[in-house]
Amino acid sequence: MGSAMSAAEHQPTEPSPLPNLASSSEALETDAANKYEAVCPHWFYCKVVDSRERWIPFSGQDSEKLENAHKSSKYCDELVVPTEGGRYDVHLKKRLRYAVYWEEDESEVRRCTWFYKGDKDNRYIPYPESFSEELEDTYMICVTLDEWKKKLESPTREIIILHNPKLMVHYHPVTTTDDWGASPTEQGRPRTVKRGVENISAEIPNGEPLQIDHLVFVVHGIGPACDIRFRSIVQCVNDFRNVSLSMLPAHFKNAQEQQQIGRVEFLPVNWHSTLHTGVDVDLERITLPSINRLRHFINDTILDVFFYNSSTYCQTIVDTVASEMNRIYLLFLERNPDFKGGVSIAGHSLGSLILFDLLTNQKCTSDGEEDKNEALCTEKELKDMGIPLGPRMKILHYLRNKSNNQNSKGQTPAAAGEGGNVKQEVPVKPTNAETSCRRLDVVTGQVSANYPQLIYKPEIFFAFGSPIGMFLTVRGVKRIDPNYSLPTCKGFFNVFHPFDPVAYRIEPMIVPDVEFDPMLLPHHKGRKRMHLELKEGLTRMSMDLKNNLLGSLRTAWQSFTRTSLPAVEAGATGDTEQVLEAEASSEKQTERKPEEPTTPVKEEPAPVNVGMLNGGHRIDYVLQEKPIESFNEYLFALQGHLCYWESEDTVLLLLKEIYQTMGIGMDQPLP
C-alpha cells in the first residue's frame, strides 16, 4: 500500500490547462477595464425642502442645454440659460438659478459627475465640481494602470477610497491627535460613492414641449399655504402643471403626434405677501400673547376674508392681483415673442371671488363706446375734489344707475303691423345700457373700490372651491340675470369637491325655481369610481326588490279577491252578467306581470337653461369623491377644499375646455 502511494507520488503528471485559461480571461478583463471612458455630466440645482437641502436634477433637455452653453461659456461671462419651460434662468458663471415670474430665493447649480449617499436619507449628494474633477482624474489613473485602493481627502477633510470600479466609499472625518498633530482617518460608517448620474437611480424629468398653446394665471386663496402640506402657491401650481403634462399623452395623443398641440403654461399669482407686508406689524401690536400659534394662524389666513371686505385693503388686493397678472403677461410675451395663444384665469377659494369681482368690473370696449357720464365726471376728477374713496364709488354708482334708467326709458316697444297684429320681435344684441343693468345685479353689495382693468381678455374663468355664490347672496344678490355674461370673458366653470365646506353653487342663482344636480365630472380614466358605481347599483337593486315585493303582494291580494267578489255580487243580485263582468275585470288586473316595476321609467332629465354666464353651457361641476373619503365626509372636509392641485379630473376639464377653444378635441370623449 505504501509502495503504491510512493509510486504514484513520483509518477510524472501532465500540466493542467486551467491556469492558462484563467490567466487569459484575466488578461481580457484587464484590457477591457483599462479602457477608460469619460463620465457624462448632468446638471443639478439645490432646493431646500422641509429644512433640508436636496439636489434635484434638471430635465435631460435642460441639462443638455446647460452643458452646451457651458462648453461655449468660456467666451461669454454673462451667459444666461432659460430652463424649466422658461420659468427659471441659470447664470452659468455664478452657478445660480433665478425665478423669472415670481419672488424666490436663488439656488445653487452644479455640473455633477460624482455623488455620495447622504447620512439622513438614501438620497445622493453631488460633490463640488472641483473635487469631482479630482476624483475623475484619480479614477482615470486607476483604470488605466489597473492600480486601485487609492485614497483621497476632500476639502472638508473627508476620506474617499477607490477600492475598485464597483466599490468606492466615503468616510466622515474623524480627527485623531498624536505627537505630530491632528489627522483624519477612515473611521466611522462608510457611505457609498457613485460615478455618473446613471448609477444613482435619480428621477430625471422628461422635460416640457417648447410650444406653448395657452397661458393660465392661477390666483391663490386665503393665507400663504395652499394645501394640506402647507405649501406655497408656486409649489401647488407646479404640481398642477405636472399633472397637465401627464394628461396630454394620455388624452391628446393624436393631437400630439400630429404636432397640433404643445402644452399649457400655468403661472401663479401671489397677492398675500404684498397685503401682509405692512399690516402684520399693526396686527402684532394688538394680538394677545396667549395661544400664540393659533392667533398667528388666524392673522395669516382667516383675516384675509375680512381684509377683502374692507374698502382700503380690498383696493390693495385687487390692485395687486391685476397688476401682477398684467406684469407677468407682458414679461411672458417678451420672453415668448412667438406666442399666439389665448389666456385664461383660475382662482382657488377667495382668489376666485377676487377674480370674479375683477371680471364683473371690466369694461367691454368692443363697440368702441364709453360711458358718457363717466366722461363728464370721472373717478379721477372726484378724487381731485378731495372726495373719499367710499363716497366717490357711491357717486359713480348713482351716475351709472341714472344713465341706465334714461336709456331704458328711451326704448320703444315692438311696433304693431297692419291689421293690428303685433310683429314678431326680432332678437337684437343687448345695448351697453342693458348690459350695465344686468351687471348692476351682480355687483350689488361689492366693496367700494376702483377695480383696475386687465390688458387682455380671458378666454375662460375657472373657480376651484369657490365661495362666490355665498358672497353674492350675503351681498344681497337674489338672482343672476340669465342673459348676463362677464364683459370680457366668455366661459365660467365652477368646480368643487362634494365635501368642500367653502364651495357653493352658482346655477341655482340663475335658475332658482328648478332643482337639478351639478354636472358630475367624469373620472380621467373614463368611468365612475368603483365605489360610486357600487352605491348606485345597490340603490337600483333595493328599488327592484321593493317593486317586486309590492308586485307579489298585489298579485296575491288580487287572486284572493278574484273568487270572493263575484260570488258575493251574484248572491246579492242574481245577475249572471255582473258575474261575468267582475271576472273579466279581475282577469285584466291579473294580466299585469308581477315582475314589472310599478314606478314609471326614469327618463333622462331635460336640459336646463342656465343662462349665458358660460355661453349657455353648464357652470357647476362636482368632482367624484375617493373611496376612502366616502366613509366620513366631515373627516375629509379640509382635504376636500385643498384637493384641486393634484386632481387629474380637474386638470383634464381645464385642458378639454381650453383646447376646445382651439378646435382640438380629446382622443376619446369622456362620458
Side-chain angles (χ1 to χ4, degrees):
M1 185 74 178
S3 61
M5 291 180 62
S6 177
E9 289 175 357
H10 294 284
Q11 185 177 1
T13 58
E14 296 181 0
S16 174
L18 293 177
N20 294 334
L21 291 175
S23 60
S24 61
S25 63
E26 289 177 359
L28 291 175
E29 290 179 359
T30 302
D31 293 340
N34 290 344
K35 292 181 179 178
Y36 167 78
E37 293 183 0
V39 66
C40 181
H42 195 93
W43 291 74
F44 283 66
Y45 64 92
C46 183
K47 190 173 183 179
V48 178
V49 180
D50 298 332
S51 301
R52 291 184 181 180
E53 287 188 352
R54 288 187 180 178
W55 286 91
I56 302 174
F58 284 98
S59 67
Q61 182 183 22
D62 287 340
S63 182
E64 184 178 357
K65 286 169 56 178
L66 290 168
E67 183 64 20
N68 293 335
H70 168 72
K71 294 177 180 178
S72 61
S73 63
K74 299 176 181 178
Y75 310 102
C76 182
D77 293 338
E78 301 297 326
L79 188 58
V80 176
V81 180
T83 60
E84 299 172 71
R87 297 180 297 276
Y88 290 89
D89 283 342
V90 173
H91 194 293
L92 275 181
K93 184 178 180 180
K94 297 179 181 178
R95 290 293 197 268
L96 291 176
R97 168 179 169 268
Y98 302 93
V100 173
Y101 297 107
W102 54 83
E103 294 293 331
E104 184 178 317
D105 293 337
E106 60 190 30
S107 53
E108 183 184 353
V109 174
R110 281 185 189 175
R111 181 177 181 263
C112 306
T113 53
W114 285 77
F115 308 83
Y116 67 94
K117 185 175 290 188
D119 56 349
K120 295 183 180 179
D121 51 25
N122 292 326
R123 296 178 180 272
Y124 280 89
I125 302 172
Y127 286 105
E129 293 185 36
S130 58
F131 186 66
S132 293
E133 293 177 0
E134 185 178 347
L135 281 169
E136 184 66 16
D137 293 339
T138 305
Y139 178 85
M140 180 181 65
I141 295 173
C142 293
V143 171
T144 305
L145 302 179
D146 195 22
E147 296 179 358
W148 295 93
K149 297 188 182 297
K150 296 289 185 179
K151 183 185 296 186
L152 293 88
E153 183 178 336
S154 71
T156 56
R157 308 203 72 185
E158 296 173 329
I159 301 299
I160 294 90
I161 302 177
L162 308 183
H163 292 284
N164 57 57
K166 303 286 185 178
L167 180 60
M168 296 174 283
V169 292
H170 174 120
Y171 292 93
H172 267 305
V174 179
T175 304
T176 59
T177 305
D178 53 20
D179 296 339
W180 301 95
S183 62
T185 62
E186 59 272 16
Q187 296 180 6
R189 182 181 178 183
R191 288 182 283 172
T192 307
V193 175
K194 294 291 184 180
R195 175 180 179 265
V197 69
E198 64 275 4
N199 294 318
I200 65 172
S201 302
E203 296 182 2
I204 300 177
N206 296 325
E208 304 175 14
L210 298 178
Q211 176 184 334
I212 300 177
D213 306 318
H214 202 87
L215 176 62
V216 180
F217 292 113
V218 184
V219 180
H220 66 85
I222 62 172
C226 296
D227 69 349
I228 200 71
R229 289 175 281 177
F230 296 97
R231 297 185 303 166
S232 66
I233 180 63
V234 174
Q235 294 171 304
C236 291
V237 173
N238 285 344
D239 274 352
F240 204 82
R241 186 187 307 107
N242 291 334
V243 173
S244 72
L245 292 174
S246 66
M247 290 287 103
L248 289 176
H251 297 276
F252 295 88
K253 185 178 180 180
N254 295 334
Q256 277 191 330
E257 291 176 349
Q258 298 173 8
Q259 297 182 350
Q260 293 180 331
I261 65 173
R263 66 181 177 91
V264 176
E265 179 62 284
F266 297 89
L267 296 179
V269 177
N270 185 0
W271 55 267
H272 180 269
S273 57
T274 303
L275 172 66
H276 285 258
T277 299
V279 73
D280 282 350
V281 178
D282 299 331
L283 286 174
E284 188 67 28
R285 297 195 196 100
I286 61 176
T287 301
L288 299 180
S290 60
I291 51 173
N292 185 50
R293 292 186 179 181
L294 178 59
R295 293 186 188 278
H296 279 282
F297 173 78
I298 293 175
N299 289 350
D300 218 20
T301 56
I302 307 299
L303 288 187
D304 286 350
V305 179
F306 297 98
F307 284 141
Y308 189 66
N309 284 318
S310 163
S311 59
T312 301
Y313 292 108
C314 175
Q315 189 67 59
T316 301
I317 293 174
V318 295
D319 284 346
T320 302
V321 171
S323 62
E324 273 294 283
M325 290 197 294
N326 289 338
R327 179 190 66 83
I328 297 175
Y329 178 68
L330 293 176
L331 181 57
F332 177 83
L333 293 182
E334 179 183 341
R335 296 175 62 89
N336 300 272
D338 297 330
F339 176 73
K340 304 297 181 184
V343 183
S344 294
I345 56 179
H348 175 242
S349 189
L350 182 63
S352 64
L353 178 66
I354 298 170
L355 291 177
F356 183 81
D357 289 345
L358 274 173
L359 291 177
T360 55
N361 286 276
Q362 296 298 296
K363 298 177 182 178
C364 184
T365 58
S366 58
D367 297 332
E369 298 180 1
E370 296 182 355
D371 194 339
K372 295 180 180 179
N373 284 328
E374 289 190 7
L376 294 175
C377 189
T378 63
E379 195 270 340
K380 184 177 183 301
E381 291 173 344
L382 293 175
K383 183 178 181 180
D384 294 339
M385 297 177 190
I387 301 176
L389 177 62
R392 285 204 310 267
M393 294 298 104
K394 291 181 179 179
I395 293 174
L396 292 174
H397 188 70
Y398 169 78
L399 292 175
R400 293 193 191 102
N401 282 338
K402 186 176 180 180
S403 174
N404 295 331
N405 292 333
Q406 290 176 351
N407 290 332
S408 61
K409 289 179 181 179
Q411 296 175 359
T412 57
E418 295 180 1
N421 296 326
V422 178
K423 292 184 179 179
Q424 185 177 3
E425 185 178 355
V426 179
V428 295
K429 184 177 180 181
T431 63
N432 285 347
E434 292 173 339
T435 305
S436 299
C437 287
R438 294 166 187 162
R439 185 183 71 86
L440 289 175
D441 294 336
V442 180
V443 302
T444 298
Q446 279 185 355
V447 180
S448 297
N450 184 16
Y451 292 92
Q453 301 297 301
L454 301 176
I455 59 176
Y456 54 85
K457 295 182 179 180
E459 296 277 349
I460 309 174
F461 167 40
F462 298 96
F464 307 143
S466 174
I468 293 175
M470 182 270 290
F471 270 85
L472 291 179
T473 302
V474 171
R475 290 171 177 176
V477 179
K478 296 185 178 297
R479 184 183 181 187
I480 300 176
D481 193 314
N483 294 318
Y484 174 76
S485 61
L486 297 172
T488 59
C489 184
K490 300 177 182 177
F492 176 32
F493 290 85
N494 183 36
V495 184
F496 52 90
H497 189 279
F499 302 156
D500 189 341
V502 181
Y504 290 82
R505 293 190 62 185
I506 296 294
E507 291 173 339
M509 299 192 69
I510 304 173
V511 190
D513 301 328
V514 181
E515 292 186 2
F516 56 97
D517 295 329
M519 291 290 290
L520 183 67
L521 265 180
H523 192 263
H524 65 280
K525 292 184 178 179
R527 58 176 295 175
K528 286 185 179 180
R529 294 186 185 271
M530 185 174 296
H531 72 287
L532 294 180
E533 292 185 347
L534 180 61
K535 184 178 180 180
E536 291 183 357
L538 292 175
T539 303
R540 287 195 299 267
M541 185 184 300
S542 63
M543 290 298 298
D544 292 341
L545 289 174
K546 178 181 177 182
N547 292 332
N548 290 336
L549 179 61
L550 292 176
S552 300
L553 292 175
R554 187 179 294 106
T555 303
W557 174 256
Q558 290 173 353
S559 61
F560 173 75
T561 57
R562 179 180 178 183
T563 56
S564 60
L565 182 60
V568 173
E569 292 179 351
T573 61
D575 193 348
T576 58
E577 292 182 359
Q578 292 180 356
V579 175
L580 295 175
E581 289 178 1
E583 291 180 352
S585 62
S586 61
E587 288 177 357
K588 289 181 180 179
Q589 291 178 356
T590 57
E591 286 178 359
R592 182 181 299 168
K593 296 181 181 180
E595 63 272 10
E596 290 182 355
T598 57
T599 57
V601 179
K602 185 178 179 181
E603 299 180 354
E604 290 294 329
V608 181
N609 182 9
V610 293
M612 298 305 297
L613 192 56
N614 191 25
H617 304 289
R618 293 295 300 272
I619 301 170
D620 293 337
Y621 285 80
V622 60
L623 293 167
Q624 302 180 35
E625 72 269 17
K626 296 178 181 179
I628 191 174
E629 294 173 343
S630 61
F631 287 106
N632 191 323
E633 56 189 45
Y634 292 96
L635 184 62
F636 292 94
L638 179 60
Q639 174 63 23
H641 184 59
L642 305 173
C643 70
Y644 306 99
W645 308 114
E646 298 178 354
S647 169
E648 294 95 340
D649 301 345
T650 303
V651 173
L652 188 57
L653 172 68
L654 265 71
L655 294 178
K656 170 178 170 289
E657 297 300 330
I658 286 173
Y659 279 116
Q660 273 189 355
T661 63
M662 302 168 54
I664 298 174
M666 297 192 302
D667 297 337
Q668 294 181 351
L670 297 177

